[in-house]
Amino acid sequence: MKASSLLNLIISSALYIISSSALQAATFEVHCRDRSPELIPTRLACIGPVADIVELALKRIGHSVNWQHKTWDETIVMAETGKVDLLLRHSMSSERAQFLDEVAYGYEIRKVYYYLSPSFAGDVSTQAELNPLKVGALEGSIYSAEFAENTQINKVEYSSTNELVEALESGTVDAVVTSSAHDMDRINIVPLARRAAYVENFYNGRFVSIPKESKRSKYFPAFEQAILDMAKSGEVTQIFERYGLDAPDQLQ
């Protein structure tokens, strides 16, 4: 084969590979919500260690991100029908497993607390003592399996932490449930509210996921492997440390 023909063949092959890769590249629609310091919405993007992990994992498998700003309750509803391509920093449940393919970027001890309204007398020391109470919670949030599965508690859902705080202050509810993953600091400063003696402790995964109905769901195996590789290599820990944050545990 002549040198010129061989060169043309190489160039043609290279152009085919580049064009094929470009055709396979996808833009993921991803929602960012305020979960500072791990997720911080900006005007056009999202910053924080979890955002960095996701962007890097997608880049390594040939894809990019289009950030949108939505509340969690909007995101979780859209995920059921695949109207969002990737979910960030969340817990899992058997219900969510029906419509999400998830991978953990780490694990941590979660403590779930109950704050009592100023108008509620006494304390709560056991889960059974919660049963007759009206307990406020954030709509669409998972606190613990115990709370999720307890059907005896009168649960009242609110769409924002502001509404939850107002309900606690006014005595509309007897208590609210919260944790370090659910704006606990804002609940902690409610005047005259008291933290109940009853606390739940469990090991909790921190997940990112792709909805099964998303048009990007076919990329989940590659995305999952990219996240697991980053966790195994210590890269997830390094990303958190760059932000001055403790990384979640990396289980091997």
Side-chain angles (χ1 to χ4, degrees):
M1 181 180 292
K2 292 182 180 181
S4 58
S5 298
L6 179 59
L7 180 60
N8 288 335
L9 178 60
I10 293 173
I11 293 173
S12 297
S13 298
L15 290 174
Y16 174 77
I17 292 170
I18 292 170
S19 62
S20 295
S21 298
L23 288 173
Q24 292 173 1
T27 299
F28 279 64
E29 301 294 329
V30 187
H31 295 170
C32 183
R33 67 194 190 282
D34 188 1
R35 282 294 181 266
S36 178
E38 293 184 19
L39 287 174
I40 304 172
T42 63
R43 190 172 68 87
L44 296 175
C46 188
I47 61 174
V50 179
D52 286 3
I53 290 165
V54 164
E55 282 194 310
L56 186 54
L58 288 176
K59 181 179 179 180
R60 286 179 177 167
I61 61 173
H63 309 303
S64 59
V65 173
N66 179 40
W67 291 108
Q68 299 180 30
H69 298 157
K70 300 284 185 182
T71 63
W72 176 247
D73 53 318
E74 289 176 306
T75 297
I76 198 69
V77 169
M78 293 173 70
E80 293 187 43
T81 54
K83 293 180 180 177
V84 59
D85 297 321
L86 202 151
L87 278 66
L88 306 180
R89 191 186 177 280
H90 64 86
S91 299
M92 282 299 294
S93 65
S94 56
E95 180 182 357
R96 289 181 181 177
Q98 294 178 29
F99 59 90
L100 297 177
D101 285 324
E102 81 288 350
V103 57
Y105 61 85
Y107 299 80
E108 63 187 7
I109 296 292
R110 174 178 288 186
K111 292 187 177 182
V112 174
Y113 301 99
Y114 294 85
Y115 280 79
L116 304 172
S117 167
S119 62
F120 180 82
D123 198 357
V124 172
S125 300
T126 66
Q127 187 189 59
E129 292 175 3
L130 284 170
N131 292 346
L133 304 186
K134 185 183 292 185
V135 179
L138 285 173
E139 184 180 9
S141 289
I142 293 177
Y143 296 94
S144 68
E146 282 188 30
F147 183 74
E149 295 168 5
N150 190 335
T151 58
Q152 297 185 59
I153 298 175
N154 182 4
K155 301 171 187 175
V156 184
E157 293 190 331
Y158 295 90
S159 61
S160 71
T161 301
N162 286 340
E163 292 181 2
L164 204 59
V165 167
E166 290 174 5
L168 184 65
E169 288 179 322
S170 66
T172 303
V173 294
D174 300 308
V176 299
V177 59
T178 189
S179 78
S180 58
H182 297 92
D183 287 340
M184 185 180 75
D185 290 345
R186 294 178 60 191
I187 304 296
N188 191 43
I189 61 174
V190 173
L192 301 180
R194 295 160 292 117
R195 197 166 78 187
Y198 177 63
V199 178
E200 298 170 28
N201 295 272
F202 60 98
Y203 214 43
N204 185 56
R206 304 306 294 159
F207 296 93
V208 289
S209 62
I210 296 178
K212 294 179 180 180
E213 294 298 319
S214 164
K215 57 187 177 182
R216 311 301 185 205
S217 63
K218 62 185 177 182
Y219 300 119
F220 177 74
F223 175 73
E224 177 184 36
Q225 191 59 55
I227 294 291
L228 294 176
D229 288 345
M230 292 172 69
K232 185 176 181 179
S233 69
E235 195 169 11
V236 167
T237 297
Q238 292 169 6
I239 290 171
F240 271 85
E241 289 176 347
R242 285 206 297 268
Y243 283 87
L245 301 172
D246 292 331
D249 294 342
Q250 305 298 301
L251 299 185
Q252 306 302 328

